[in-house]
Amino acid sequence: MANELWGTFSIYDHRDAIFRKSLITFDRIVIPIPNKPIGNQTLEELEQLYADASYLEKNDAAIIYNWNSDEFQDWQKDVLREALSVKSTDSFYDSRLMLQEKTEDLKPQGVNEITSLPVYGAKEEFLTTYSKLNHVTEEGVIIELSQLISIPDKNAPLEEIIALRNSKSFISAKEAFKEWQLKKMPEVLGEKSIKNINLAKEEFEKMLHRYEEEINNGKFKKSKAVVTSLLALGSIITAAFGETQTAIALISGAAPNLFSLKETTSPIWKDLRGKSYEAAGIIYEANRKL
């Protein structure tokens, strides 16, 4: 696949089996594995994680990152500098951000471009990480696209999830879904034509229904969750967009129980590198209702 969407995790996220949920959202997930237990991790725990991650990697669903705590600490000092207020809290959860920076170095042959997003199991985790950013003096505009979709149960067999991922119809549905979120949505927010906005909304509804149908074809137990994709808008684009509320209302208003779109503000921990937008993260919220 030429352009891929990757999810990055912390060294503890496997305890929530969050990678099972993410396997239907991302082209690949980046799983950090320490060479020895850290904190209250056990050797048995890491051995099972390595076995699962190796299986996923062989099926082009994951990338194993050989985790090194010294490297992480150096990265905090050299890259983040004073951006993160690392106090007495367990900063290893912020490892998602380091892996987001490392994905270019992990690019497999045949992959031209990677969009990587740190993955969070709840909105509180996302806010906790970003609230520690002390170098940001201005908040950026964040567009939150939330969808209520089916996800694999925490005990779903990896073999069945891989079988679904390899289905041509699922691949097609996921690619269309991803394309709308990363390419179409930023364009729609800048649209002045109500007709074009409504057409884009109808297109998204059809893609979301198709995506959900494909997930339900999977032969594994499922549960419902709200999956929120966060898109950080660059200041120039934000100014050019001006009033986005009309587009937001038109896109989300017709299907309040299917998906929602809203504008919020949040600190941005790094520059947008000349891009008009940056994928800021993705959140899985099992107990939330749209």
Side-chain angles (χ1 to χ4, degrees), residues 167-186:
S167 163
K168 290 183 179 180
S169 58
F170 175 78
I171 293 172
S172 176
K174 180 166 65 68
E175 283 299 299
F177 193 63
K178 177 178 69 177
E179 183 77 8
W180 199 95
Q181 291 182 81
L182 296 179
K183 302 287 178 65
K184 187 73 174 181
M185 185 171 70

Side-chain angles (χ1 to χ4, degrees), residues 21 24 148-154 212 215-216 220-226 286:
K21 303 175 186 179
I24 62 162
L148 180 65
I149 62 173
S150 297
I151 58 171
D153 182 76
K154 64 179 181 179
E212 177 72 7
I215 294 171
N216 284 319
F220 47 80
K221 188 176 179 181
K222 307 166 190 70
S223 59
K224 288 284 188 178
V226 171

Side-chain angles (χ1 to χ4, degrees), residues 17-56:
I18 198 170
F19 56 80
R20 279 175 166 75
K21 303 175 186 179
S22 299
L23 287 172
I24 62 162
T25 306
F26 296 99
D27 297 308
R28 299 179 207 248
I29 57 176
V30 184
I31 304 174
I33 305 180
N35 59 5
K36 60 182 180 180
I38 294 177
N40 61 358
Q41 289 178 337
T42 66
L43 184 59
E44 182 182 16
E45 175 185 5
L46 293 184
E47 288 175 347
Q48 181 60 55
L49 176 61
Y50 182 77
D52 289 343
S54 296
Y55 173 76
L56 295 174

Side-chain angles (χ1 to χ4, degrees), residues 120-146:
Y120 298 89
K123 193 164 187 177
E124 290 75 16
E125 292 182 12
F126 172 78
L127 294 175
T128 296
T129 296
Y130 280 72
S131 66
K132 292 189 297 183
L133 307 179
N134 62 12
H135 76 302
V136 179
T137 57
E138 295 182 1
E139 291 184 318
V141 174
I142 299 286
I143 300 297
E144 298 184 8
L145 175 63
S146 300

Side-chain angles (χ1 to χ4, degrees), residues 3 75 95 147 210 215 241 248:
N3 302 313
W75 177 81
S95 52
Q147 308 98 202
R210 180 184 170 204
I215 294 171
F241 281 170
I248 291 174

Side-chain angles (χ1 to χ4, degrees), residues 261-275:
L261 186 69
K262 69 177 182 177
E263 177 184 312
T264 61
T265 57
S266 175
I268 299 175
W269 77 278
K270 59 180 179 178
D271 294 333
L272 294 178
R273 302 175 181 175
K275 296 181 181 179

